[in-house]
Amino acid sequence: MAQAQTGSGKTASFVLPIVELLSQTPTEGKRKVKVLVLTPTRELTQQVAESFKTFGQTLKVVSVIGGEGIGD
């Protein structure tokens, strides 16, 4: 568990190693789910998704939030 001020890089500290690992793994055939990140709030879900989009520009990132339609 980690606690630090907003903007200190907590999200990047776990997103970057995942993106690095995925960049080293060859993608063959049908795409599969590679990573599932569960978050307790809608805001944190959006923040984590944005981090994956920023650091893993070649990754397809999908955010699923309860109470919203897929694709919203």
Side-chain angles (χ1 to χ4, degrees):
M1 185 174 285
Q3 182 177 351
Q5 293 179 341
T6 300
S8 62
K10 296 181 297 292
T11 303
S13 70
F14 79 86
V15 169
L16 287 171
I18 293 170
V19 169
E20 175 66 19
L21 182 64
L22 291 175
S23 71
Q24 296 174 2
T25 306
T27 304
E28 295 180 10
K30 189 175 181 181
R31 292 183 181 185
K32 299 176 185 175
V33 174
K34 303 283 185 183
V35 177
L36 173 65
V37 179
L38 302 174
T39 62
T41 65
R42 175 181 317 259
E43 293 78 16
L44 188 54
T45 299
Q46 293 166 338
Q47 176 184 332
V48 170
E50 281 304 311
S51 291
F52 271 103
K53 289 175 186 175
T54 299
F55 298 123
Q57 296 175 352
T58 61
L59 299 177
K60 179 176 181 180
V61 178
V62 177
S63 242
V64 179
I65 300 171
E68 291 187 10
I70 294 177
D72 289 348

